[in-house]
């Protein structure tokens, strides 16, 4: 059956609308601004010397990759160095804005740096191809024969020259920088989440499986009938819910 609210009940309708909005907004909702500005906690400031050590290592890694003719790796290292300088300036005021992003970037770089290091730590393998000769078959098709040479050399070898050994040193320095940067950024992000009272990963896992809080309807708690609850309590809860609605007092009309 369709029911129409009278014009005089507009205030009641607005009151009911404001009550229903409380159902979808939890009381412990976080404020719209999730990132706090200002200096980080003291625990993060105490690790400033580690951040400076990270910047020094990144500068060394950038120079090694540049000498080793690894232009792409040098640009990536320079990007991480710029992020670190931005986070440390003005007393680490920008740490809250970049800590989580820096953690993810360091994790990705560490993953892609550690794989070739593990595979080539026992010896670096180089492959080269050289043409041997050309021949023509009976159908007049020219054929070129190539020789594929696979050579395995130690990870550090004086006979391979400076660039080879610099590349090997850069392969070790880069994962160390990314691991240190990821640890520092993740620690800073966690400390700032705890300071601001925002949920962290450990708290989210601890709350998993617990009964969610009761929904708020019209400013009154509604938990429904539970085991061991008396009928009088259930009746009072049902009555509190019914009080949030206004019965239609006008004249009903039937639609043809």
């Amino acid at each position: 059956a369709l029911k129409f609210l009278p014009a005089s009940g507009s205030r009641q309708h607005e009151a009911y609308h404001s009550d229903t909005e409380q159902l979808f907004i939890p009381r412990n909702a976080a404020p719209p601004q999730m990132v706090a500005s200002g200096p980080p906690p003291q625990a993060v400031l105490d690790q400033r010397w580690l951040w400076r050590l990270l910047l020094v290592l990144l500068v060394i890694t950038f120079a090694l990759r540049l000498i080793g003719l690894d232009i792409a790796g040098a640009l990536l290292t320079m990007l991480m160095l710029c992020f670190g300088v931005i986070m440390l300036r003005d007393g680490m005021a920008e740490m809250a804005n970049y800590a989580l992003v820096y953690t993810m970037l360091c994790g990705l770089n560490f993953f892609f740096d550690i794989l070739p290091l593990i595979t080539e730590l026992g010896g670096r393998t180089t492959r080269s191809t050289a043409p041997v000769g050309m021949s023509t078959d009976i159908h007049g098709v020219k054929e070129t024969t190539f020789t594929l040479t696979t050579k395995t050399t130690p990870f550090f070898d004086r006979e391979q020259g400076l660039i080879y050994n610099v590349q090997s040193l850069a392969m070790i320095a880069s994962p160390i920088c990314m691991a240190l940067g990821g640890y520092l950024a993740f620690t800073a992000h966690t400390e700032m989440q705890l300071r601001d009272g925002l949920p962290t990963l450990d708290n989210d896992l601890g709350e998993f499986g617990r009964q969610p809080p009761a929904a708020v309807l019209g400013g009154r708690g509604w938990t429904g009938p539970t085991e061991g609850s008396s009928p009088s309590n259930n009746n009072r809860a049902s009555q509190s819910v019914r009080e949030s609605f206004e019965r239609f007092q006008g004249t009903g009309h039937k639609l043809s």
Side-chain angles (χ1 to χ4, degrees), residues 45-218:
L45 295 176
D46 293 340
Q47 293 181 340
R48 184 178 299 177
W49 68 276
L50 288 175
W51 282 98
R52 292 173 179 173
L53 176 62
L54 173 64
L55 296 183
V56 173
L57 293 177
L58 287 174
V59 171
I60 295 175
T61 305
F62 170 76
L64 292 176
R65 285 186 162 180
L66 202 60
I67 296 174
L69 303 180
D70 185 8
I71 305 301
L75 293 177
L76 186 59
T77 305
M78 176 59 67
L79 177 63
M80 302 302 295
L81 178 61
C82 293
F83 266 108
V85 172
I86 292 174
M87 289 190 296
L88 288 185
R89 68 182 181 182
D90 298 333
M92 294 185 171
E94 300 294 332
M95 181 65 67
N97 298 325
Y98 299 100
L100 184 58
V101 177
Y102 201 79
T103 302
M104 294 186 293
L105 290 178
C106 288
L108 290 175
N109 291 331
F110 176 79
F111 176 77
F112 289 109
D113 286 340
I114 200 66
L115 290 181
L117 178 63
I118 294 175
T119 56
E120 297 185 2
L121 194 59
R124 295 178 57 181
T125 302
T126 57
R127 295 178 177 86
S128 60
T129 57
V132 176
M134 298 179 61
S135 61
T136 304
D137 58 5
I138 58 177
H139 301 288
V141 179
K142 294 183 179 180
E143 297 179 350
T144 303
T145 305
F146 291 88
T147 301
L148 176 62
T149 304
T150 303
K151 183 179 180 181
T152 302
T153 55
F155 195 74
F156 290 101
D157 190 1
R158 292 182 178 179
E159 298 179 357
Q160 300 300 322
L162 177 64
I163 296 179
Y164 177 89
N165 291 277
V166 167
Q167 291 175 350
S168 299
L169 187 59
M171 292 177 64
I172 296 177
S174 182
I176 294 176
C177 293
M178 299 308 163
L180 179 59
Y183 164 74
L184 293 176
F186 180 76
T187 303
H189 177 71
T190 304
E191 291 292 337
M192 287 181 290
Q193 293 288 96
L194 293 176
R195 180 198 62 181
D196 300 333
L198 299 177
T200 59
L201 181 60
D202 296 337
N203 294 336
D204 292 340
L205 294 178
E207 293 292 334
F208 181 76
R210 295 185 181 179
Q211 183 180 2
V216 178
L217 180 59

